[in-house]
Amino acid sequence: MSRRLPLLLSAALGAAVLGTAPAAHAGPPPAPVTAPAPVTAAPGTQPYASYWYPNTILNWDPATDPDARFNRSRVPLQPRTSDPALKANPNARAGEGKVASLVSFGPTSNNPSQGSADPNYYAFGYWQYVDKLVFWGGSAGEGLILAPNPTVIDAAHRNGVKVYGTVFFPPAAYGGQLQWVRDFVQKSGTRYPVADKLAQAAQYYGFDGWFINQETGGGDSALAGEVRNLMQYTKAQSSTEFMWYDAMTESGSVSWQNELTSANDSFLQEGNRRTADSMFLNFNWSSSGLDSSRNLARSLGRSEYDLYSGIDTEANGYNTGVDWNALFPANKPHTTSLGLYRPEWTWKSATDRADFYAKDSRYWVGANNDPSNTATSSSWKGLSSYVAESSPITAKPFVTNFDTGQGDFYQTDGARAATGGWNNLSLQDVPPTYRWLVSSTGTRLTPSIDFTDAFEGGSSLRLTGRLDAANTVRLYQSRLPVAADSRLSVVVKTPAAGPTRLKAAISFTDAPTSFTTLDLGANSGTGWERHTLDLSAYAGRTIAQIGLQADGNDPAYDVRIGQLAVYDGAVDAPGAPGGLTVLGASDVVAGSSQSLRLSWTAPAGGSVHHYEVYRRGADGTRTFLGATPSDAYFVNKLDRAGTESSTTVEVVAVSTEYGRSTAATTTVSWTGTPPAGGNLALNRPATGSGQCNANETPAKAVNGTVNGGNGDKWCTTTSAKWLEVDLGSARPLSRFVVKHASAGGESASYNTRDFSIQVRSAATDPWTTVATVTGNTAGTTTHPVTTTARYVRLVVTRPTQGTDPAARVYEFEAWGA
């Protein structure tokens, strides 16, 4: 294997791609950095993931840190099951080599605690192949110790994956200071104060341990001994785990061994003392070195699978050259475990979300989008070729909405609760264990995650294709005992009323590969409909797999599955949360919009999956503001409706069975007069991709009227459909309003279904998307924003509710000051 960059240098280059290069690697070596004093957050401002230097973490106290409450994960680590009889790939192995994934989800600083309004995010969905996730980050210029944010912890723990924060000491040439390492191991009597804080942070925030990356040179054997002592001390005091990176040796020098040797083995095990729980071996390993590492680990009384042989996929992803046979030899036990460095290449290199999902599938399950068939001419077969799937579905209730933790809208109980993009991995459901396994004697259907419709959240499962024989789609491995009152329910949407041609398919542990099917019957309409099946006939048995079977004939089969659930008895609604309080508010636009920090207390019973936050309109309608499993939430923007003096905010508890509580309520007061503003696009110069006829010009969309008949609109049938308006100068904007076909008196079937709004301040700037809408049916849509721009653009991707190719826009309004 060719020599690769040390881990820290690679990290810095990756951070530069993300737009926040560590000072240690941003050009010439910087001057020594003085750790900044902690900053107290304003009452209603955005909370961020925690990061520190060794001395500043000593001052951290969750009781006084205003962001701490927003950084707590409330999802415990779930146990997992992995039945070798149910592995997708015949070459994969269970119980041998594991996978650790080192991922940068964002910059060290300014990493939002609870997601954001940006749908462009690394929404990782192949947890079934991962054992540990390292929340990668840290830099000389921001902070060396980075705690994971709760969204990642929640998603990982829900899938049975441990999460580590990062402790990061860079080389001196890139800003590292040996004093920081000395600060790290400072003692107070017999205590290591920084270690105590590491354990406190892990315990309070709810994650599992720390990845230690010490690449600052100049140390000696005494300093190296103190680093080991600190880890051993921490493990004696707490359940905190450590993963050690192969860099610092026992002499104190930094010398990458690329294997476990006598120069670094005491960082894993020192006599009868366990120093680290695992070790990440540097990238330049060899077949003989891995064999030697395995033998040495065994001689120390440790498993060779505590060693994670690193591969660097930051730059080339699945085009990275790897000696797979040395690591996972055919027909032999795995030599060590695998450490993946920066698998989020699949997201960073993607052109759009569809490209990301295609690349992520290629990375994890291979070129055929099928974990059972990884045959390819490429040396990268996909991780499913080597490592068997694990599943956290070991207890009821089990509910999935096939929500990936990102989307372009938000649905609750099948209804649109909010428009606009978002990401929040705390809301991600357990992804299917098998993506995708379809068996059929005829044409195989194509499963996919669909972002155009959902029952809960932002996505659903979709099955499409020619149905000419039974298709069995294996989805989840499980270990769910069936009781006398157990139920299985499936929420389905079909293009027309009639038979769904769909059955639930389950197998049991006494015959795990043999499916029993239960017909779901017909849908009465074209909306979401729930089909509930009685499992009492199978009481006493344990469900090993859950899937679906489509059977019948349909040349263009198209069905969406919005929810799949296994539970006992009736769906329970939790009690309402109590003590809903506005901890603080800050103006986004004075008199017009605010950001809020909210808190509440959990209802008794402990069966809450998450809490949903809404604003209640004067007409009684609800608008979704966000959700979290925690007891505190940051609302990034609450808009004032007109000149209302107060707004009602509600919090609803959602049970693990998806029953909803009554709402806890509070009010947010408004002061002052909303800033004067108007439709800044009115009668401004407008251009478009084309027009249907001479009268339906772009200017008609900014003339301020919709009542001039069917010709009082901009219309186009071009393949790319866009309308652009020049506001004359960069102006603060608060909302966009789009008036579609029915606003001008035409049929609602012509209302724009899918579209986005983009802005830029100069003609040479790239466009930035500020609103994305899919599945719209309304004649008038409003899109709150907080942005400044001169040029605004409406991009239509699906012009009507049906197949009519013409986009019809009666008005495109940009409101601001």
mmCIF file of all heavy atoms in Angstrom, residues 270-297:
data_model
loop_
_atom_site.group_PDB
_atom_site.id
_atom_site.type_symbol
_atom_site.label_atom_id
_atom_site.label_comp_id
_atom_site.label_asym_id
_atom_site.label_seq_id
_atom_site.Cartn_x
_atom_site.Cartn_y
_atom_site.Cartn_z
ATOM 1 N N GLU A 270 -0.965 -2.395 28.549
ATOM 2 C CA GLU A 270 0.284 -2.296 29.295
ATOM 3 C C GLU A 270 0.233 -3.281 30.454
ATOM 4 O O GLU A 270 -0.392 -3.017 31.486
ATOM 5 C CB GLU A 270 0.493 -0.874 29.803
ATOM 6 C CG GLU A 270 1.891 -0.631 30.342
ATOM 7 C CD GLU A 270 2.186 0.843 30.577
ATOM 8 O OE1 GLU A 270 1.242 1.643 30.697
ATOM 9 O OE2 GLU A 270 3.384 1.193 30.651
ATOM 10 N N GLY A 271 0.854 -4.455 30.242
ATOM 11 C CA GLY A 271 0.779 -5.504 31.245
ATOM 12 C C GLY A 271 -0.662 -5.951 31.404
ATOM 13 O O GLY A 271 -1.322 -6.329 30.434
ATOM 14 N N ASN A 272 -1.170 -5.885 32.631
ATOM 15 C CA ASN A 272 -2.566 -6.261 32.853
ATOM 16 C C ASN A 272 -3.502 -5.061 32.821
ATOM 17 O O ASN A 272 -4.674 -5.164 33.190
ATOM 18 C CB ASN A 272 -2.713 -7.015 34.184
ATOM 19 C CG ASN A 272 -2.306 -6.153 35.373
ATOM 20 O OD1 ASN A 272 -1.900 -4.990 35.222
ATOM 21 N ND2 ASN A 272 -2.405 -6.724 36.568
ATOM 22 N N ARG A 273 -2.981 -3.925 32.402
ATOM 23 C CA ARG A 273 -3.797 -2.700 32.359
ATOM 24 C C ARG A 273 -4.217 -2.392 30.922
ATOM 25 O O ARG A 273 -3.378 -2.323 30.024
ATOM 26 C CB ARG A 273 -3.025 -1.509 32.944
ATOM 27 C CG ARG A 273 -2.780 -1.622 34.447
ATOM 28 C CD ARG A 273 -1.970 -0.437 34.944
ATOM 29 N NE ARG A 273 -0.627 -0.432 34.352
ATOM 30 C CZ ARG A 273 0.288 0.507 34.583
ATOM 31 N NH1 ARG A 273 -0.018 1.546 35.387
ATOM 32 N NH2 ARG A 273 1.485 0.433 34.032
ATOM 33 N N ARG A 274 -5.497 -2.200 30.747
ATOM 34 C CA ARG A 274 -6.065 -1.839 29.441
ATOM 35 C C ARG A 274 -5.912 -0.331 29.265
ATOM 36 O O ARG A 274 -6.492 0.448 30.013
ATOM 37 C CB ARG A 274 -7.536 -2.247 29.413
ATOM 38 C CG ARG A 274 -8.220 -2.165 28.063
ATOM 39 C CD ARG A 274 -9.682 -2.585 28.241
ATOM 40 N NE ARG A 274 -10.438 -2.610 26.997
ATOM 41 C CZ ARG A 274 -10.598 -3.662 26.220
ATOM 42 N NH1 ARG A 274 -10.035 -4.809 26.567
ATOM 43 N NH2 ARG A 274 -11.315 -3.595 25.106
ATOM 44 N N THR A 275 -5.142 0.093 28.277
ATOM 45 C CA THR A 275 -4.925 1.523 28.067
ATOM 46 C C THR A 275 -6.009 2.090 27.163
ATOM 47 O O THR A 275 -6.721 3.027 27.538
ATOM 48 C CB THR A 275 -3.547 1.779 27.440
ATOM 49 O OG1 THR A 275 -2.538 1.133 28.224
ATOM 50 C CG2 THR A 275 -3.258 3.273 27.383
ATOM 51 N N ALA A 276 -6.146 1.552 25.965
ATOM 52 C CA ALA A 276 -7.189 1.976 25.034
ATOM 53 C C ALA A 276 -8.046 0.772 24.682
ATOM 54 O O ALA A 276 -7.605 -0.378 24.774
ATOM 55 C CB ALA A 276 -6.576 2.575 23.773
ATOM 56 N N ASP A 277 -9.257 1.047 24.279
ATOM 57 C CA ASP A 277 -10.156 -0.033 23.881
ATOM 58 C C ASP A 277 -9.871 -0.511 22.470
ATOM 59 O O ASP A 277 -10.237 -1.633 22.103
ATOM 60 C CB ASP A 277 -11.603 0.440 24.002
ATOM 61 C CG ASP A 277 -11.949 0.801 25.433
ATOM 62 O OD1 ASP A 277 -12.394 -0.084 26.173
ATOM 63 O OD2 ASP A 277 -11.728 1.969 25.816
ATOM 64 N N SER A 278 -9.238 0.341 21.676
ATOM 65 C CA SER A 278 -8.919 -0.022 20.301
ATOM 66 C C SER A 278 -7.816 0.892 19.797
ATOM 67 O O SER A 278 -7.502 1.923 20.416
ATOM 68 C CB SER A 278 -10.160 0.083 19.414
ATOM 69 O OG SER A 278 -10.749 1.359 19.524
ATOM 70 N N MET A 279 -7.217 0.526 18.671
ATOM 71 C CA MET A 279 -6.164 1.331 18.059
ATOM 72 C C MET A 279 -6.433 1.451 16.562
ATOM 73 O O MET A 279 -6.764 0.460 15.899
ATOM 74 C CB MET A 279 -4.784 0.711 18.298
ATOM 75 C CG MET A 279 -3.641 1.548 17.698
ATOM 76 S SD MET A 279 -1.994 0.816 17.930
ATOM 77 C CE MET A 279 -1.756 1.047 19.688
ATOM 78 N N PHE A 280 -6.291 2.672 16.047
ATOM 79 C CA PHE A 280 -6.412 2.950 14.617
ATOM 80 C C PHE A 280 -5.010 2.953 14.030
ATOM 81 O O PHE A 280 -4.200 3.823 14.345
ATOM 82 C CB PHE A 280 -7.097 4.307 14.420
ATOM 83 C CG PHE A 280 -7.470 4.627 12.997
ATOM 84 C CD1 PHE A 280 -8.782 4.494 12.562
ATOM 85 C CD2 PHE A 280 -6.525 5.091 12.096
ATOM 86 C CE1 PHE A 280 -9.138 4.811 11.248
ATOM 87 C CE2 PHE A 280 -6.870 5.411 10.792
ATOM 88 C CZ PHE A 280 -8.184 5.262 10.366
ATOM 89 N N LEU A 281 -4.705 1.969 13.191
ATOM 90 C CA LEU A 281 -3.381 1.850 12.587
ATOM 91 C C LEU A 281 -3.272 2.765 11.373
ATOM 92 O O LEU A 281 -4.174 2.814 10.534
ATOM 93 C CB LEU A 281 -3.113 0.404 12.169
ATOM 94 C CG LEU A 281 -3.209 -0.651 13.277
ATOM 95 C CD1 LEU A 281 -2.925 -2.038 12.703
ATOM 96 C CD2 LEU A 281 -2.253 -0.335 14.419
ATOM 97 N N ASN A 282 -2.143 3.458 11.260
ATOM 98 C CA ASN A 282 -1.933 4.386 10.146
ATOM 99 C C ASN A 282 -2.024 3.657 8.809
ATOM 100 O O ASN A 282 -1.902 2.432 8.718
ATOM 101 C CB ASN A 282 -0.588 5.089 10.301
ATOM 102 C CG ASN A 282 -0.426 6.222 9.320
ATOM 103 O OD1 ASN A 282 -1.306 7.056 9.186
ATOM 104 N ND2 ASN A 282 0.696 6.255 8.621
ATOM 105 N N PHE A 283 -2.212 4.419 7.739
ATOM 106 C CA PHE A 283 -2.653 3.906 6.455
ATOM 107 C C PHE A 283 -1.639 3.019 5.724
ATOM 108 O O PHE A 283 -2.020 2.236 4.853
ATOM 109 C CB PHE A 283 -3.011 5.082 5.534
ATOM 110 C CG PHE A 283 -3.957 6.073 6.138
ATOM 111 C CD1 PHE A 283 -3.608 7.403 6.253
ATOM 112 C CD2 PHE A 283 -5.193 5.673 6.603
ATOM 113 C CE1 PHE A 283 -4.478 8.320 6.809
ATOM 114 C CE2 PHE A 283 -6.074 6.579 7.153
ATOM 115 C CZ PHE A 283 -5.717 7.921 7.261
ATOM 116 N N ASN A 284 -0.357 3.136 6.013
ATOM 117 C CA ASN A 284 0.652 2.469 5.191
ATOM 118 C C ASN A 284 0.964 1.066 5.693
ATOM 119 O O ASN A 284 2.108 0.657 5.817
ATOM 120 C CB ASN A 284 1.933 3.319 5.166
ATOM 121 C CG ASN A 284 2.877 2.903 4.052
ATOM 122 O OD1 ASN A 284 2.443 2.465 2.996
ATOM 123 N ND2 ASN A 284 4.169 3.049 4.298
ATOM 124 N N TRP A 285 -0.102 0.302 5.989
ATOM 125 C CA TRP A 285 0.106 -1.043 6.494
ATOM 126 C C TRP A 285 0.394 -2.019 5.341
ATOM 127 O O TRP A 285 0.140 -1.733 4.176
ATOM 128 C CB TRP A 285 -1.085 -1.520 7.316
ATOM 129 C CG TRP A 285 -2.449 -1.198 6.775
ATOM 130 C CD1 TRP A 285 -3.248 -0.149 7.107
ATOM 131 C CD2 TRP A 285 -3.195 -1.955 5.794
ATOM 132 N NE1 TRP A 285 -4.427 -0.181 6.402
ATOM 133 C CE2 TRP A 285 -4.431 -1.287 5.594
ATOM 134 C CE3 TRP A 285 -2.937 -3.112 5.074
ATOM 135 C CZ2 TRP A 285 -5.406 -1.743 4.713
ATOM 136 C CZ3 TRP A 285 -3.899 -3.589 4.182
ATOM 137 C CH2 TRP A 285 -5.118 -2.896 4.008
ATOM 138 N N SER A 286 0.908 -3.166 5.720
ATOM 139 C CA SER A 286 1.233 -4.214 4.745
ATOM 140 C C SER A 286 0.636 -5.527 5.231
ATOM 141 O O SER A 286 0.220 -5.663 6.390
ATOM 142 C CB SER A 286 2.748 -4.376 4.609
ATOM 143 O OG SER A 286 3.305 -4.839 5.834
ATOM 144 N N SER A 287 0.603 -6.508 4.341
ATOM 145 C CA SER A 287 0.053 -7.814 4.699
ATOM 146 C C SER A 287 0.840 -8.445 5.838
ATOM 147 O O SER A 287 0.270 -8.942 6.816
ATOM 148 C CB SER A 287 0.062 -8.731 3.476
ATOM 149 O OG SER A 287 -0.436 -10.014 3.803
ATOM 150 N N SER A 288 2.178 -8.394 5.756
ATOM 151 C CA SER A 288 2.997 -8.988 6.816
ATOM 152 C C SER A 288 2.851 -8.204 8.112
ATOM 153 O O SER A 288 2.848 -8.785 9.208
ATOM 154 C CB SER A 288 4.462 -9.039 6.386
ATOM 155 O OG SER A 288 4.950 -7.724 6.121
ATOM 156 N N GLY A 289 2.701 -6.872 7.993
ATOM 157 C CA GLY A 289 2.529 -6.048 9.185
ATOM 158 C C GLY A 289 1.222 -6.342 9.901
ATOM 159 O O GLY A 289 1.165 -6.340 11.134
ATOM 160 N N LEU A 290 0.152 -6.601 9.134
ATOM 161 C CA LEU A 290 -1.121 -6.938 9.765
ATOM 162 C C LEU A 290 -1.054 -8.308 10.435
ATOM 163 O O LEU A 290 -1.616 -8.513 11.517
ATOM 164 C CB LEU A 290 -2.248 -6.902 8.732
ATOM 165 C CG LEU A 290 -2.589 -5.534 8.133
ATOM 166 C CD1 LEU A 290 -3.902 -5.610 7.367
ATOM 167 C CD2 LEU A 290 -2.647 -4.448 9.187
ATOM 168 N N ASP A 291 -0.374 -9.255 9.797
ATOM 169 C CA ASP A 291 -0.202 -10.566 10.431
ATOM 170 C C ASP A 291 0.551 -10.426 11.745
ATOM 171 O O ASP A 291 0.182 -11.028 12.768
ATOM 172 C CB ASP A 291 0.557 -11.505 9.496
ATOM 173 C CG ASP A 291 -0.288 -11.988 8.331
ATOM 174 O OD1 ASP A 291 -1.528 -11.917 8.432
ATOM 175 O OD2 ASP A 291 0.298 -12.418 7.312
ATOM 176 N N SER A 292 1.594 -9.629 11.727
ATOM 177 C CA SER A 292 2.379 -9.400 12.943
ATOM 178 C C SER A 292 1.540 -8.703 13.998
ATOM 179 O O SER A 292 1.617 -9.035 15.191
ATOM 180 C CB SER A 292 3.619 -8.574 12.593
ATOM 181 O OG SER A 292 4.341 -8.232 13.754
ATOM 182 N N SER A 293 0.734 -7.750 13.583
ATOM 183 C CA SER A 293 -0.128 -7.017 14.522
ATOM 184 C C SER A 293 -1.120 -7.949 15.190
ATOM 185 O O SER A 293 -1.355 -7.876 16.403
ATOM 186 C CB SER A 293 -0.874 -5.908 13.788
ATOM 187 O OG SER A 293 0.014 -4.963 13.241
ATOM 188 N N ARG A 294 -1.697 -8.836 14.424
ATOM 189 C CA ARG A 294 -2.656 -9.792 14.979
ATOM 190 C C ARG A 294 -1.982 -10.678 16.022
ATOM 191 O O ARG A 294 -2.519 -10.886 17.130
ATOM 192 C CB ARG A 294 -3.222 -10.666 13.850
ATOM 193 C CG ARG A 294 -4.118 -11.810 14.329
ATOM 194 C CD ARG A 294 -4.588 -12.660 13.165
ATOM 195 N NE ARG A 294 -3.457 -13.166 12.383
ATOM 196 C CZ ARG A 294 -3.551 -13.624 11.146
ATOM 197 N NH1 ARG A 294 -4.715 -13.629 10.514
ATOM 198 N NH2 ARG A 294 -2.479 -14.074 10.520
ATOM 199 N N ASN A 295 -0.787 -11.172 15.711
ATOM 200 C CA ASN A 295 -0.098 -12.053 16.642
ATOM 201 C C ASN A 295 0.281 -11.327 17.922
ATOM 202 O O ASN A 295 0.158 -11.871 19.022
ATOM 203 C CB ASN A 295 1.147 -12.647 15.980
ATOM 204 C CG ASN A 295 0.800 -13.560 14.810
ATOM 205 O OD1 ASN A 295 -0.299 -14.112 14.761
ATOM 206 N ND2 ASN A 295 1.717 -13.712 13.867
ATOM 207 N N LEU A 296 0.735 -10.074 17.794
ATOM 208 C CA LEU A 296 1.123 -9.312 18.975
ATOM 209 C C LEU A 296 -0.096 -8.989 19.828
ATOM 210 O O LEU A 296 -0.035 -9.084 21.065
ATOM 211 C CB LEU A 296 1.851 -8.035 18.557
ATOM 212 C CG LEU A 296 2.338 -7.124 19.701
ATOM 213 C CD1 LEU A 296 3.167 -7.898 20.722
ATOM 214 C CD2 LEU A 296 3.119 -5.950 19.125
ATOM 215 N N ALA A 297 -1.211 -8.629 19.200
ATOM 216 C CA ALA A 297 -2.426 -8.345 19.964
ATOM 217 C C ALA A 297 -2.846 -9.566 20.773
ATOM 218 O O ALA A 297 -3.180 -9.465 21.962
ATOM 219 C CB ALA A 297 -3.550 -7.909 19.029
#
